[in-house]
Amino acid sequence: MSNGQQCPLRMDPAGQDIQGEAARIRAAGPAIRIELPGGVPAWAVADPAVITRLLTSPDVSKDADLHWPAWTRGEVPEDWSLAMWVSIRSMFTAYGAEHTRLRKAVSSAFTAHRTKALRPVVEGIAAELLDGLARLPGDQPVDLRARFAVPLPARVICELFGVPRERHDELCAIFDCLFDTSADSAAIARHAAELYRILAELVAAKRERPGDDLTSGLVRGQREALERGDPTALDDQELLDTLIHLLSAGYETTVNLIDHAVHALLTHPHQLDLVRAGEASWEDVVEETLRWQPAAANLLLRYAVEDLDLGGVVIPRGEAIVLSVAGAGRDPGVHGADADRFDITRPTRRTHLSFGHGAHYCMGAPLARMEAVIALSALFERFPRLSLAVPSAELAPVASFVSNGHRELPVHTGGPVPSRPAAGKRPEPLEPATPRNTTDHAEPAGAR
């Protein structure tokens, strides 16, 4: 559909250099032509002020059927590897009044009260997973992503939506595959079909035996709206797609947030020392991680409802737009010349777009933040000697230019803190392990 001259930047489907691509997008000005997998052309924006404008402008849509002519004319093939994220019918892809209708249907799902009530659940799951890690040899490598960063949010979101325990691993494996932007369209289609089958069975089960979970709440809300003849009621496709949206967002992004936060602290030991000394908080760690390595590097897709003059660059009406959250998070105009450095005391650490902005701000953000704070505080309290088991440069990214995380995060736990000292003995102080490696942006000794 395009060529290298028209689209000077081809996004790597395997996401091998997310921050490098983000820097090139940011350096290009207000917007740059890019090529998505399958040769699909689009524009990319990394300037945080421009992104904020686009996220709040009525001249920007998320509805491909209404505002992306290349999609409706068939220029983008139906078997495009990213088609599912365009065709899904939820608030994720809705515009205007439709977005308001679909968001309202789930607005009660992530209230402050419900999120607060989940705290003991999250704490219990974290403790159970850490107990499992404590039973492993402390000097043997363990994949912390697989053993902790993945199962914690997976169990939280699945239990919140009433997904049977025996389905948790299967469902999360499917989401991992769907976020793989390097996968071929046939594999994506197989996983999507299986996902719809699983969720259709879940909805049918909740209709027959409703429980105290969010899927049952959505089903109940749909039934009550239909009974009173409410035209805003979700149809069955919208119900399934809403579940896909909420489950995938509640799982994948929180996994990556925990993954990157742990990695950042292990490669920036002085930052961890600040938390342990009470000079910074776990909340500071979470916010700086969201800025420095956002869990979703690029947001797909928006469409220009009208020509968008961004100041020297015009995105024509009907063209697709990718928002580079990773690029915005390291903008030197906002975060200073050292924007590439991980610094949990940075005054602008909370100035990021990792959860969106405006009407499309992620309603699950408080839950994700709470999960990450609980996970990090419990992990480093239990395992103060935690260290990376391989050089940081050897860690491979997940195969995606959307999902931003590591395929594996091998660590040595160093063994847990003893629960109590032996009778008549005082416990010896536990010193954190000296980090085995650093990243390109790891701080020098003594730096803050």
Side-chain angles (χ1 to χ4, degrees):
M1 293 181 59
S2 62
N3 56 53
Q5 293 180 333
Q6 292 175 311
C7 296
L9 175 61
R10 287 189 172 93
M11 302 297 284
D12 177 12
Q16 295 296 301
D17 186 22
I18 279 182
Q19 290 297 341
E21 286 184 344
R24 290 193 288 277
I25 293 169
R26 190 173 55 240
I32 182 177
R33 291 283 283 174
I34 63 169
E35 186 176 283
L36 298 173
V40 175
W43 294 82
V45 175
D47 185 299
V50 176
I51 291 178
T52 300
R53 171 189 163 186
L54 297 183
L55 286 170
T56 56
S57 173
D59 290 335
V60 178
S61 170
K62 296 180 76 177
D63 192 324
D65 290 336
L66 289 179
H67 299 116
W68 195 20
W71 174 259
T72 55
R73 292 197 299 254
E75 296 171 14
V76 178
E78 291 184 4
D79 65 350
W80 185 40
S81 61
L82 302 180
M84 181 177 179
W85 302 114
V86 172
S87 60
I88 190 173
R89 306 310 303 166
S90 74
M91 63 181 179
F92 184 73
T93 56
Y95 173 72
E98 275 295 281
H99 175 264
T100 301
R101 176 180 72 87
L102 293 167
R103 188 178 177 96
K104 183 179 179 181
V106 299
S107 60
S108 63
F110 296 101
T111 62
H113 174 74
R114 185 182 286 272
T115 298
K116 184 178 180 180
L118 282 170
R119 174 172 289 277
V121 175
V122 178
E123 290 173 339
I125 294 171
E128 181 183 329
L129 294 171
L130 294 176
D131 285 345
L133 287 175
R135 290 190 288 269
L136 302 176
D139 59 348
Q140 296 296 314
V142 58
D143 181 0
L144 194 71
R145 181 177 172 99
R147 298 296 295 262
F148 187 65
V150 166
L152 175 60
R155 284 183 55 181
V156 171
I157 198 68
C158 285
E159 291 183 17
L160 184 60
F161 280 87
V163 177
R165 185 68 177 269
E166 64 271 16
R167 289 289 199 188
H168 289 192
D169 291 346
E170 181 183 13
L171 197 60
C172 293
I174 290 174
F175 284 133
D176 288 342
C177 293
L178 293 177
F179 276 103
D180 182 349
T181 53
S182 69
D184 64 79
S185 56
I188 294 293
R190 288 195 304 272
H191 291 119
E194 182 64 11
L195 176 60
Y196 277 112
R197 185 186 65 79
I198 292 171
L199 294 182
E201 290 178 357
L202 176 65
V203 168
K206 297 304 178 182
R207 283 176 174 152
E208 184 176 344
R209 296 178 301 279
D212 184 22
D213 58 77
L214 296 188
T215 302
S216 296
L218 288 172
V219 168
R220 181 169 54 252
Q222 181 197 46
R223 185 190 69 246
E224 292 172 353
L226 290 173
E227 288 174 349
R228 63 176 180 266
D230 188 342
T232 67
L234 298 179
D235 63 31
D236 287 347
Q237 186 64 50
E238 290 170 340
L239 178 57
L240 292 176
D241 286 351
T242 294
L243 285 172
I244 290 174
H245 173 198
L246 297 176
L247 286 165
S248 62
Y251 162 67
E252 188 78 11
T253 53
T254 312
V255 170
N256 290 337
L257 171 55
I258 296 170
D259 169 358
H260 272 303
V262 172
H263 175 259
L265 291 171
L266 294 182
T267 53
H268 298 76
H270 185 64
Q271 300 295 306
L272 181 55
D273 290 343
L274 292 175
V275 180
R276 286 173 164 153
E279 298 178 39
S281 68
W282 293 113
E283 287 80 5
D284 295 330
V285 173
V286 169
E287 297 306 320
E288 178 67 351
T289 302
L290 288 166
R291 179 200 72 83
W292 190 63
Q293 286 287 9
N298 296 289
L299 301 182
L300 308 177
L301 279 170
R302 269 75 175 170
Y303 317 99
V305 177
E306 303 292 345
D307 288 355
L308 299 172
D309 187 346
L310 304 183
V313 177
V314 175
I315 298 179
R317 175 181 178 179
E319 299 210 356
I321 307 168
V322 172
L323 305 182
S324 173
V325 178
R330 298 195 184 189
D331 186 279
V334 175
H335 302 288
D338 67 343
D340 282 336
R341 188 165 67 93
F342 180 76
D343 178 6
I344 62 176
T345 67
R346 183 183 302 279
T348 57
R349 61 189 174 276
R350 294 181 176 85
T351 307
H352 58 76
L353 295 163
S354 291
F355 290 121
H357 182 75
H360 293 281
Y361 187 79
C362 175
M363 60 177 60
L367 176 59
R369 285 183 164 108
M370 183 181 74
E371 288 183 64
V373 166
I374 290 172
L376 295 170
S377 59
L379 173 68
F380 283 97
E381 180 180 358
R382 192 75 173 275
F383 299 102
R385 299 188 185 98
L386 192 72
S387 62
L388 286 178
V390 299
S392 184
E394 293 182 7
L395 297 176
V398 296
S400 179
F401 70 92
V402 174
S403 181
N404 180 24
H406 300 101
R407 294 187 188 184
E408 298 177 343
L409 189 62
V411 300
H412 293 296
T413 66
V417 173
S419 57
R420 62 178 61 87
K425 293 184 62 177
R426 297 182 62 184
E428 296 183 3
L430 290 173
E431 295 294 332
T434 300
R436 297 166 180 263
N437 44 70
T438 58
T439 62
D440 291 341
H441 303 299
E443 58 198 358
R448 174 168 180 168

